[in-house]
């Protein structure tokens, strides 16, 4: 949930602006876009509204929302419920100027394939995809990103189906993630040599496509170190290409 008060949020935002840091924030994990209990599902609007309130105080330009679950109902039913919720969200909050990012998810019984997120985003221009490459790799059991072209395909697909601006300014998460047959199990660090995905092919894809994504490092406890590694890998790719 969101526990910080307006004074703290505003202070963080002012310091970030002075340092030239762009901010985004994650909406509460307990938002349920596709919940079967209507009262709980529509409570998501309150949580998203509170998230936007916090984002405005922070000066954040994006909030990230989980796509929904399909654990207890069919994917078709879950998508229909999520789209109904998101349509209400667009009606209520479509003019805030803050991007509402819908995240690709790592567990197979969750909504959140790239195709499903694109379908959700097509409901309104206020929605934009948030691509978590580790999540997509986990839900495809490690077979999603074997090459530079696998990464390039993500940007191309988004550009073709939503527009070039969405692909160019994509908001992303990246980490290595352990998975089971059900998909995501836990986040890892870049030191792991068993699970992927690898960042270097993504760095090359970014340079070759001429895009400028914002990438949030979600490594387990080594966010700063691994974020620096990603920056250095991108700089090397830029120099070589």
């Amino acid at each position: 949930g969101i526990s910080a008060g307006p004074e703290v949020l505003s202070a963080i935002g002012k310091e970030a602006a002075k340092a030239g840091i762009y901010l985004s924030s994650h909406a509460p994990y307990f938002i349920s876009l596709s919940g079967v209990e209507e009262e709980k599902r529509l409570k998501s609007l309150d949580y998203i509204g509170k998230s936007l309130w916090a984002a405005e105080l922070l000066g954040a330009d994006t909030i990230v929302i989980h796509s929904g679950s399909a654990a207890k109902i069919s994917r078709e039913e879950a998508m229909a419920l999520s789209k109904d919720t998101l349509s209400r969200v667009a009606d209520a909050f479509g003019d805030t100027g803050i991007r509402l990012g819908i995240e690709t998810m790592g567990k197979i019984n969750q909504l959140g394939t790239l195709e499903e997120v694109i379908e959700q985003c097509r409901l309104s221009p206020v929605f934009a995809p948030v691509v978590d490459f580790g999540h997509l790799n986990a839900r495809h059991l490690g077979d999603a990103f074997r090459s530079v072209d696998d990464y390039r395909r993500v940007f191309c697909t988004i550009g073709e189906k939503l527009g070039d601006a969405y692909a160019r300014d994509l908001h992303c998460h990246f980490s290595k993630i352990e998975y089971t047959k059900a998909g995501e199990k836990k986040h890892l660090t870049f030191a792991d040599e068993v699970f992927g995905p690898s960042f270097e092919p993504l760095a090359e894809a970014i340079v070759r496509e001429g895009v400028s994504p914002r990438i949030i490092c979600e490594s387990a406890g080594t966010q700063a170190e691994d974020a620096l590694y990603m920056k250095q890998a991108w700089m090397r790719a830029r120099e070589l290409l």
Side-chain angles (χ1 to χ4, degrees):
I2 297 166
S3 56
E7 296 83 4
V8 171
L9 293 167
S10 295
I12 292 171
K14 289 175 183 176
E15 290 301 313
K18 283 194 285 185
I21 297 171
Y22 294 101
L23 293 181
S24 59
S25 63
H26 203 300
Y29 290 166
F30 45 75
I31 284 176
S32 180
L33 295 181
S34 58
V36 294
E37 296 182 39
E38 185 170 2
E39 183 177 354
K40 289 184 178 179
R41 179 169 64 87
L42 297 184
K43 189 70 176 174
S44 298
L45 274 72
D46 295 336
Y47 300 138
I48 290 171
K50 187 70 178 292
S51 299
L52 287 166
W53 167 82
E56 187 171 3
L57 290 167
L58 286 167
D61 61 8
T62 302
I63 68 168
V64 178
I65 305 166
H66 281 177
S67 310
S69 174
K72 298 180 180 179
I73 53 179
S74 70
R75 299 194 81 83
E76 293 77 13
E77 292 172 311
M79 280 295 291
L81 288 171
S82 76
K83 287 161 71 173
D84 176 74
T85 310
L86 289 170
S87 293
R88 297 169 188 258
V89 168
D91 289 341
F93 307 115
D95 59 354
T96 64
I98 297 172
R99 180 167 57 174
L100 302 179
I102 305 176
E103 184 179 357
T104 61
M105 302 302 294
K107 290 184 172 65
I108 293 171
N109 66 4
Q110 293 172 317
L111 296 178
T113 66
L114 180 60
E115 293 74 18
E116 287 168 341
V117 167
I118 288 172
E119 184 178 342
Q120 290 169 321
C121 288
R122 293 179 77 168
L123 290 169
S124 169
V126 72
F127 299 121
V130 171
V131 174
D132 188 311
F133 291 100
H135 280 169
L136 290 180
N137 192 63
R139 76 180 301 136
H140 287 278
L141 307 183
D143 200 36
F145 301 110
R146 299 287 187 182
S147 69
V148 174
D149 284 344
D150 290 336
Y151 284 110
R152 294 179 75 178
R153 196 171 296 116
V154 171
F155 294 101
C156 291
T157 299
I158 292 171
E160 290 169 0
K161 297 190 176 181
L162 291 175
D164 288 342
Y166 290 88
R168 183 180 60 248
D169 301 321
L170 191 63
H171 191 88
C172 308
H173 297 166
F174 194 94
S175 63
K176 293 187 175 184
I177 293 179
E178 181 180 348
Y179 54 83
T180 68
K181 63 181 180 181
E184 177 189 7
K185 181 179 180 182
K186 65 178 181 179
H187 286 234
L188 304 169
T189 73
F190 279 18
D192 181 82
E193 297 180 353
V194 177
F195 296 91
S198 296
F199 182 76
E200 285 81 359
L202 174 56
E204 182 175 336
I206 289 168
V207 174
R208 290 191 179 280
E209 290 297 319
V211 293
S212 53
R214 182 187 304 177
I215 306 178
I216 306 300
C217 180
E218 291 198 332
S219 293
T222 57
Q223 290 94 337
E225 296 87 346
D226 292 350
L228 178 58
Y229 180 94
M230 290 194 291
K231 178 181 179 180
Q232 292 168 341
W234 170 75
M235 292 174 71
R236 286 193 299 270
R238 189 175 58 170
E239 291 170 0
L240 290 171
L241 299 172

